[in-house]
Amino acid sequence: APPTGDRTCEVLGETVPAAIIARCLRNPTDVAVADDLSGVLTYRRFLLGALILAERFRAVPGESVGLLLPASAAGTLSLFALHLAGKRPVVLNWTTGPG
């Protein structure tokens, strides 16, 4: 489905997490992320999943957390959840191959 509302590109917050939350609240039924395994996640489901996962990430000791996931809906959601948990995501790239 096409996005709802005005298609003008705008940043809705002072920080990346704030802008994403504002977008989730403004267009909750629009598609946020999608992949072949997870299917389509709306902004509502994306935000809900990230808030739930952020609670678990808060319990992880330290300021930084390594994230090794493929480019996927789950990877995007996990990255956002780390931001919501107040953690510094350290994204580890495993897609470059053996070289």
Side-chain angles (χ1 to χ4, degrees):
T4 59
D6 184 12
R7 292 187 182 200
T8 304
C9 184
E10 62 181 317
V11 177
L12 301 176
E14 292 295 318
T15 65
V16 171
I20 293 172
I21 290 171
R23 178 62 63 196
C24 291
L25 297 175
R26 182 181 282 190
N27 304 100
T29 59
D30 283 0
V31 174
V33 294
D35 66 30
D36 290 339
L37 186 60
S38 300
V40 172
L41 292 180
T42 63
Y43 281 109
R44 178 180 290 126
R45 289 190 65 200
F46 179 79
L47 180 58
L48 179 61
L51 289 170
I52 292 169
L53 193 53
E55 285 298 314
R56 292 189 173 230
F57 284 152
R58 281 189 191 96
V60 175
E63 295 178 10
S64 301
V65 175
L67 183 62
L68 179 63
L69 287 173
S72 63
T76 304
L77 191 144
S78 298
L79 181 65
F80 183 52
L82 284 169
H83 281 289
L84 293 178
K87 301 292 183 176
R88 181 182 308 113
V90 180
V91 180
L92 306 170
N93 185 358
W94 61 273
T95 62
T96 57

